[in-house]
Amino acid sequence: MNNFSYIKVSNTAEAILQIDGDIRNKIVAGGTNINDLLKYFITKADKLVDINPITENNSIIRLDNGGVRLGSLCTNADTAYDPIIEERYPLLSKAILAGASAQIRNMATNGGNLMQRTRCYYFYDINTPCNKRDPGSGCSAIKGYNRIHAILGQSESCIAVFPSDMCVALRALDAVVNINGPEGERVLAFAEFHQLPGDSPHIDNSLKHGEIITSIDLPKEGFNKNYSYLKLRDRSSYAFALVSVAAAFEIEDNTIKEARIALGGVAHKPWRVSEAEDFLKAKAPNKENFENAANIILEGAKGYEHNSFKIELAKRAIVRNCFMALHPESQRPGSKPSL
C-alpha cells in the first residue's frame, strides 16, 4: 500500500474542500471496498478524507412529501433494521440483508454501497489487462473465465457486473441521489447514477470528482404489500449474485396496477426495462404474463463461454420472484411460492 495522508472532517463543506478536485484524494467512510482497492494497488491515494464524523448525513428521516431520506453515512445494517424501512420499504430491507455479511453490513455505508466497484476477477488482478482498471489495455474476461459476468448492457470494452444488492432495490423503488460538490448541490435520479461501460468502463457512475453523496431519497410508495427480493448465488452466505431480482407490485382486484422489476448480477448497473413493466399493467398476475415480461427484460441478452446459463436462469428467477412478490410470506425459510 502506498503512503498517504489522512484527515477527518466534520461537515460536508470541509470534505469537499479537502478533496479539492484532486483525483488522488479519496473519501473513506465504512472502508469495506476502498481498503481492498488500496491494498491490491487498484487505486492509489495521496490523501484519505474520513467523512464518518459528518453527523448531518447520518440519519433516516421522514420527508414532507411522504417519502424517506436515507443518510449516506447510515450503515447498511442500521438502514435495513430501521422500523420505518422495515414497515414501509421491506423490499429494500430484504435486499440489504441479502448482501455481504453481518460484519460488513455493520460497517458499510449507504453512500459507499452506491460507489462500490466490480468484483471481476481480472479487475482485482493487476497482472492482467482490464479496461476498467487500465483503460485501453483490453478486457481479459471476454475470452477468460466469465461465469459471473454480464449478459446485458455490456460492451466490447467490458463485461463486468455491478455487485450491489441494495442498489437493485433502490432502482426498483425509483430512488433519487442527493449530491453536493464544488459547484453546489444537485439531485440525480437513481436510474442515471450508474453508467453502462460503453467505451469508458473505468467511469462507473455520474458522480464528478470532488462531489459527495449526502443522502438517498425514497418516494412515498414503498410497495409494502407485494414485494420480494430473490438472490441466486453459489452459496447462501457472503457471495455476490449470479442473478438477483427485486420485484414489487400494486395489485387491485387481481389486476396489476403498477409493476417494478429490477435485476442485479447481470449488467454494469441495476437493470430495469420499463417496457416489461408497462406490459404487465392492467394484466392478471399469472405465469404467462410473468414469462412474457421476463422475455422482454432479457431481450438482447448475450452470454459468453462460461455464463450463457445466466440468461435462462434470469428468466426463471424473474418468474419465480414475481410469484413470491404476490405472497411476501413465501420468503420465509422453507416456504415455496405457488405457481
Side-chain angles (χ1 to χ4, degrees):
M1 185 181 292
N2 295 324
N3 292 330
F4 54 85
S5 61
Y6 170 83
I7 185 170
K8 284 188 175 183
V9 296
S10 59
N11 58 68
T12 301
E14 186 181 359
I16 295 169
L17 183 64
Q18 288 294 335
I19 297 168
D20 193 31
D22 189 334
I23 197 169
R24 293 288 293 270
N25 296 338
K26 307 292 184 182
I27 291 173
V28 61
T32 58
N33 190 199
I34 193 169
N35 287 346
D36 288 341
L37 298 175
L38 291 170
K39 286 190 293 184
Y40 286 103
F41 301 101
I42 297 166
T43 192
K44 297 178 181 179
D46 286 341
K47 182 197 296 183
L48 278 186
V49 181
D50 187 342
I51 61 174
N52 284 292
I54 303 178
T55 57
E56 64 202 62
N57 300 337
N58 194 16
S59 60
I60 296 176
I61 60 175
R62 297 177 184 267
L63 299 173
D64 292 339
N65 64 5
V68 170
R69 174 163 293 170
L70 311 176
S72 62
L73 289 175
C74 288
T75 67
N76 287 176
D78 285 345
T79 303
Y81 291 119
D82 185 275
I84 298 176
I85 303 306
E86 288 186 311
E87 178 185 354
R88 293 183 52 190
Y89 307 94
L91 176 63
L92 177 59
S93 179
K94 294 287 185 183
I96 293 173
L97 294 175
S101 65
Q103 294 88 343
I104 290 177
R105 293 193 297 268
N106 283 337
M107 290 295 297
T109 62
N110 293 336
N113 196 295
L114 273 62
M115 294 297 294
Q116 64 182 300
R117 308 205 68 189
T118 185
R119 265 53 175 195
C120 171
Y121 322 120
Y122 302 103
F123 174 71
Y124 273 88
D125 183 354
I126 61 173
N127 296 308
T128 61
C130 172
N131 286 323
K132 180 174 283 295
R133 176 173 26 81
D134 183 16
S137 63
C139 176
S140 297
I142 291 178
K143 294 185 178 180
Y145 185 61
N146 42 42
R147 186 170 185 273
I148 67 171
H149 289 74
I151 56 173
L152 290 163
Q154 68 273 57
S155 71
E156 293 301 314
S157 297
C158 182
I159 61 171
V161 298
F162 183 62
S164 170
D165 291 286
M166 178 182 183
C167 288
V168 181
L170 290 174
R171 180 68 184 92
L173 291 170
D174 274 340
V176 299
V177 185
N178 298 307
I179 298 166
N180 202 344
E183 299 177 4
E185 299 179 351
R186 65 185 179 112
V187 178
L188 191 63
F190 199 86
E192 300 173 5
F193 185 81
H194 297 101
Q195 296 189 14
L196 294 178
D199 295 326
S200 53
H202 59 290
I203 302 175
D204 292 323
N205 55 63
S206 300
L207 201 69
K208 301 172 185 176
H209 192 76
E211 289 187 323
I212 295 175
I213 299 171
T214 57
S215 59
I216 303 155
D217 287 355
L218 302 175
K220 180 179 180 180
E221 177 56 68
F223 297 94
N224 61 351
K225 293 183 179 179
N226 296 110
Y227 66 90
S228 180
Y229 187 75
L230 176 64
K231 182 176 183 178
L232 304 180
R233 44 189 163 173
D234 285 325
R235 57 182 186 274
S236 61
S237 177
Y238 195 40
F240 296 104
L242 291 170
V243 173
S244 63
V245 185
F249 299 108
E250 179 185 340
I251 297 176
E252 185 178 322
D253 297 329
N254 200 40
T255 301
I256 298 172
K257 300 296 183 181
E258 185 72 30
R260 304 285 178 84
I261 302 173
L263 272 61
V266 298
H268 210 253
K269 61 186 294 185
W271 193 261
R272 186 174 158 194
V273 179
S274 59
E275 290 81 3
E277 298 171 358
D278 291 340
F279 168 81
L280 287 172
K281 290 180 182 178
K283 291 185 174 64
N286 59 38
K287 185 177 182 181
E288 180 182 1
N289 288 329
F290 290 152
E291 287 179 341
N292 287 333
N295 288 331
I296 295 172
I297 294 170
L298 272 297
E299 185 177 353
K302 175 185 176 181
Y304 297 84
E305 181 179 0
H306 303 285
N307 76 343
S308 293
F309 72 94
K310 290 177 71 169
I311 300 175
E312 182 63 24
L313 181 67
K315 289 181 180 180
R316 296 189 181 200
I318 292 168
V319 175
R320 176 185 173 188
N321 201 42
C322 285
F323 276 106
M324 291 173 68
L326 302 182
H327 304 283
E329 67 276 6
S330 67
Q331 299 178 66
R332 296 170 183 165
S335 299
K336 295 181 180 179
S338 58
L339 300 182

